[in-house]
Amino acid sequence: MSVGIRHDDLRRRNRAMVISAVRRAGQPSRTEIAATTGLSHSTISAISSDLIQEGILTESKASETVSLKRGRPQVGLSLNPEAAAVLAVVLSLNFLSVAVIDYAGQVVAEEQRRLDTLTMSRNELIDECVAIVRRRLEDPDLDVQSVARIALAIQGITDSHARAMLWSPITPQTNIAFADILEREFGIPAIMENDCNMMAVALRWRDPDRYRDDFIAILLSHGIGMGLVLKGELFTGTHSSGGEFGHMIHRPGGALCRCGRRGCVEAYAGNYAIWRNARQLSENAEPVADVSDAEMRALAARARQTDGPEREAYRKAGEALGFGLGSLFALIDPAPVAMVGASAAAFDLIEPALREAIAQTAGGQHSGSISFDTEPNELPLIREGCAMRALSFVDQEIFAPGAQGKSGTARKHVA
């Protein structure tokens, strides 16, 4: 009996490895899959034949595959976009979006809405999330039976089981079990994730050579967040998503943070904090609810032109981020960092003070070798991370041996 179980586990793992290799490479040949996975050619041939028959993979025509070698061109394998679909929902400050993503990872439909998340009641917030998902599922062009997973990302703290929002700066509401709510409403498996963790997941898929075993994704937006990967695993807390880098204390008793505490890194480096300092307002001034990307671009332009309060505001932001990162590096050692979000476009104004601050910490002994990348738009990364998280579930659970996948489409959902 145990031998049979081990054999089934091996088949499940090998199938998942082949699907993952195809997902990463796009249209690899069987030989390329063998080189990537370490599986034998005969194993890959058998698995790929099964997956093609089940409608999970498709085979390109020989004429479509370019070969620079003599002889018969190798046939490429690709994911069948129609094999399954997932929904990626992103809830952030005053903003809600949903995207339908096919099995090949392409966005096939999306919707975005502006909300006043800070004033909405608990039921209003839940109703908006349910309604935007329902509208997508009621799209006549979408095969609802193919929707295998819903992944919702939110700015704030989620529980370690990916079920609920525990706290978020975008709303006064707490402890909302969004995943359970969506599952009950639509009968589709759902997860809920921290948005910065999803940025880290996406970075690893996009550039696995740079973002592999140890790296950090920092959100520089209205809030400051972090996604952290250590030893190849996404870091989470003992009972929550953890990684609340923005709410580490930079100056005890310092500037007022929108979390209600004082002296947080975010209270100096968040968009509202940079805006507050640029206008030379008191550190006790209530954080503004929202600062538009256009306002931040204009502020950065002034900071580049004149050595005035705007430039000083960015210097303070860099200092807070630098001391925070230096303290983190003292624990985990330096690692590649991706700066993501609207203020990443102004990283040239932040970086000098950031590096100077890191160099003053125990974790910054080699600060000159620490590398930073920038990505000014967080939504595509968060959405991609949600999609990859959801599609990985589909790869391993829905299309595993013994599961009922798209080939028979025995798995049915009613919206």
Side-chain angles (χ1 to χ4, degrees), residues 372-395:
F372 297 92
D373 286 337
T374 59
E375 171 54 60
N377 188 357
E378 67 266 29
L379 178 60
L381 272 178
I382 297 170
R383 176 182 288 173
E384 185 176 339
C386 284
M388 290 302 104
R389 199 71 149 173
L391 289 169
S392 293
F393 164 84
V394 179
D395 296 344

Side-chain angles (χ1 to χ4, degrees), residues 85-89 98-101 133 136-137 142 147 149-152:
V86 298
L87 267 63
V89 185
V98 64
V100 180
I101 297 165
V133 171
R136 288 301 95 212
L137 292 175
L142 175 65
V147 178
R149 192 78 158 178
I150 301 171
L152 188 152

Side-chain angles (χ1 to χ4, degrees), residues 30-301:
R30 289 170 175 79
T31 299
E32 291 169 330
I33 295 172
T36 300
T37 62
L39 298 174
S40 69
H41 286 270
S42 59
T43 297
I44 290 171
S45 179
I47 290 174
S48 60
S49 294
D50 288 345
L51 293 174
I52 290 170
Q53 185 176 4
E54 294 167 21
I56 300 169
L57 296 183
T58 61
E59 205 171 38
S60 66
K61 296 179 181 179
S63 60
E64 294 175 349
T65 304
V66 178
S67 177
L68 300 179
K69 299 180 180 180
R70 298 177 64 183
R72 182 180 177 182
Q74 295 193 14
V75 176
L77 296 173
S78 58
L79 298 169
N80 178 8
E82 298 180 358
V86 298
L87 267 63
V89 185
V90 179
L91 178 60
S92 57
L93 180 66
N94 297 333
F95 181 78
L96 176 66
S97 77
V98 64
V100 180
I101 297 165
D102 66 25
Y103 192 58
Q106 300 301 310
V107 176
V108 295
E110 63 179 311
E111 179 183 344
Q112 299 181 0
R113 284 179 57 79
R114 297 292 299 180
L115 307 173
D116 189 356
T117 58
L118 291 170
T119 63
M120 295 175 71
S121 70
R122 184 187 189 88
N123 287 339
E124 287 173 334
L125 196 62
I126 292 171
D127 289 347
E128 284 286 354
C129 291
V130 169
I132 201 170
V133 171
R134 186 181 302 281
R135 284 194 294 274
R136 288 301 95 212
L137 292 175
E138 290 177 348
D139 185 342
D141 294 328
L142 175 65
D143 176 10
V144 176
Q145 295 180 14
S146 74
V147 178
R149 192 78 158 178
I150 301 171
L152 188 152
I154 191 168
Q155 183 181 351
I157 302 175
T158 60
D159 72 312
S160 58
H161 300 294
R163 309 303 300 168
M165 177 202 80
L166 303 180
W167 173 86
S168 174
I170 73 170
T171 173
Q173 313 305 324
T174 59
N175 298 311
I176 302 179
F178 276 108
D180 293 337
I181 291 168
L182 292 173
E183 283 190 4
R184 285 197 302 268
E185 192 71 28
F186 302 111
I188 300 173
I191 53 174
M192 180 167 198
E193 302 279 5
N194 169 267
D195 58 348
C196 293
N197 284 349
M198 294 302 93
M199 292 186 335
V201 169
L203 287 168
R204 199 173 185 205
W205 275 94
R206 282 190 181 186
D207 190 353
D209 291 332
R210 174 172 171 78
Y211 300 109
R212 182 180 297 276
D213 295 327
D214 303 283
F215 66 90
I216 303 162
I218 299 289
L219 177 64
L220 302 181
S221 187
H222 198 67
I224 302 296
M226 179 183 73
L228 175 63
V229 172
L230 296 176
K231 307 301 182 186
E233 297 292 334
L234 186 67
F235 172 83
T236 57
T238 56
H239 63 276
S240 75
S241 53
E244 287 299 305
F245 175 81
H247 299 289
M248 292 170 56
I249 297 300
H250 171 52
R251 294 190 185 281
L256 181 62
C257 180
R258 64 176 174 154
C259 74
R261 300 177 181 85
R262 290 185 173 274
C264 299
V265 170
E266 184 181 294
Y268 296 87
N271 285 358
Y272 68 86
I274 296 173
W275 185 91
R276 179 171 60 190
N277 284 330
R279 280 156 179 73
Q280 299 180 288
L281 300 176
S282 167
E283 290 188 344
N284 298 320
E286 193 72 23
V288 295
D290 199 359
V291 182
S292 71
D293 290 351
E295 288 178 288
M296 292 305 297
R297 287 193 294 269
L299 195 154

